[in-house]
Amino acid sequence: MSDLSPISAYQNCRLCHRKCGVNRTTQTDVGTPSIGYCGMPDALWVARAALHYWEEPCISGEVGSGTVFFSGCSLRCVYCQNHSIALGLSGKRIDTGRLTEIFLELAAQGAANINLVTPTHYVPSILPALDAAKAQGLTLPIVYNTGNYETLDTLKMLEGYVDIYLPDFKYWDAALARRYSNAPDYTKHAAENIAEMFRQVGTPVFAAHSPLTSEPPDAALSDSYSTDCHFNTEPMLTESETALMKRGVIVRHLMLPGGLDDSKQILRYLYETYGDNIFLSIMNQYTPLPAQLNGYPELNRRITDAEYEELIDFAIDLGIENAFIQEGETAEESFIPSFHAEGV
Ligand code: SF4
């Protein structure tokens, strides 16, 4: 059980490295600059809660990941693919009791796991909701899916709650982190966080899923992950290729236009530090959204096949075996789900 007081954590909010120190309990309007950098009050706002087929195959499986998209974000990257959520402009206000119900409803729908997306600024509220859901029988793995800018103290609250960490590692170069996320200290903190995540959950554990209970949609992004994406298939894939991760760390890296050298630095660091004790997810699905890219002309294009292939060749030459890569037309806006509080 969590002994954390959500109220005290929100009264002087320092959950992420923005360390705003604001009192979120006195705020009511989402997206207001006078709140913290994430733009969210202490009240839970959730944009979507549904089975989701767009994650890595070992997270979505064929049954779908029970994904809860929280509104607001403490990073607010200029190229964000979920812009309306990041700005807190979509979603519905709920209490922790309703969040508990959502977790249980997703489990009843056959979800492979409970997947908390952009949860950093709501950790003090999520923990009691998980406690209550577990008391009512929730046994699914808990996935913590983050842009990776929370503090170590926030991560330490999650020990014993989270089974699978799914952090981004966005930048190596501080200049890129400053330009695109206004977070020049991102790399240092992201690296420290991954070390803490690995300390908590350790090396990957997989288990085959029970027979399928629902079919993924035809355009599922999971289908766009290469069937060869898991270079080392032995520990994971069953005949039906539905093996699901039960525990471990998958670090995601979204390749950016012109970011090949930065991407290589990140892969090198992760492999030299963790070898194949974590998984990497090397993503080419960057989608330019021109309306939000004024002042960033270099980002207004997709990743070329040549750029992505060079990065994958680099990963293979390094010796990386545990990685997911993407194939086909992944850079389509259609892969970005709509956020109209479905399931909330
Ligand atoms: S969670 Fe929000 S209010 Fe709290 S420190 Fe981070 S950006 Fe600031």
Side-chain angles (χ1 to χ4, degrees), residues 10 24 40-45 70-71 119-126:
Y10 291 135
R24 291 169 57 194
M40 303 308 293
D42 66 329
L44 282 164
W45 285 74
F70 293 95
S71 303
T120 304
H121 50 292
Y122 284 132
V123 164
S125 303
I126 291 169

Side-chain angles (χ1 to χ4, degrees), residues 13-16 18-20 22 24 36-38 74 121:
C13 187
R14 304 174 73 81
L15 291 168
C16 78
R18 302 294 180 194
K19 296 186 176 174
C20 303
V22 297
R24 291 169 57 194
Y37 198 95
C38 62
S74 56
H121 50 292

Side-chain angles (χ1 to χ4, degrees), residues 121-326:
H121 50 292
Y122 284 132
V123 164
S125 303
I126 291 169
L127 300 188
L130 284 173
D131 283 334
K134 289 181 178 183
Q136 295 175 62
L138 181 73
T139 58
L140 293 176
I142 306 301
V143 182
Y144 186 83
N145 186 335
T146 175
N148 202 0
Y149 201 50
E150 45 277 279
T151 63
L152 282 175
D153 286 344
T154 300
L155 277 183
K156 285 175 180 170
M157 295 178 199
L158 295 163
E159 185 161 12
Y161 284 91
V162 171
D163 302 286
I164 300 167
Y165 278 105
L166 196 52
D168 292 341
F169 203 138
K170 295 175 183 290
Y171 318 103
W172 187 259
D173 184 347
L176 293 179
R178 180 192 299 276
R179 176 163 171 77
Y180 298 145
S181 297
N182 189 26
D185 56 354
Y186 176 86
T187 303
K188 169 179 180 288
H189 296 310
E192 287 175 351
N193 283 0
I194 290 168
E196 170 63 16
M197 294 170 187
F198 183 68
R199 184 194 70 76
Q200 289 186 20
V201 301
T203 53
V205 176
F206 293 93
H209 196 274
S210 55
L212 306 181
T213 56
S214 65
E215 294 293 328
D218 290 341
L221 184 59
S222 287
D223 289 347
S224 72
Y225 279 93
S226 166
T227 53
D228 298 324
C229 61
H230 185 258
F231 304 142
N232 180 8
T233 59
E234 286 186 5
M236 174 180 171
L237 297 180
T238 64
E239 284 184 2
S240 60
E241 298 190 352
T242 59
L244 292 168
M245 182 175 264
K246 297 296 183 187
R247 195 169 178 85
V249 178
I250 303 175
V251 179
R252 283 177 167 172
H253 174 65
L254 176 67
M255 193 179 187
L256 293 174
L260 179 60
D261 289 343
D262 203 65
S263 296
K264 287 179 178 178
Q265 297 265 35
I266 290 169
L267 297 193
R268 183 191 300 280
Y269 167 77
L270 290 171
Y271 188 62
E272 288 180 350
T273 305
Y274 298 100
D276 285 315
N277 290 314
I278 62 172
F279 273 71
L280 306 185
S281 182
I282 308 168
M283 308 171 81
N284 70 345
Q285 69 185 63
Y286 173 75
T287 306
L289 301 172
Q292 66 189 55
L293 288 175
N294 285 335
Y296 304 93
E298 74 277 18
L299 291 180
N300 209 2
R301 68 167 177 87
R302 294 179 178 173
I303 301 300
T304 67
D305 290 346
E307 286 172 318
Y308 190 58
E309 285 168 13
E310 183 173 338
L311 184 59
I312 299 309
D313 287 346
F314 178 80
I316 293 169
D317 289 346
L318 275 179
I320 294 173
E321 293 189 337
N322 287 340
F324 296 98
I325 63 173
Q326 293 182 308

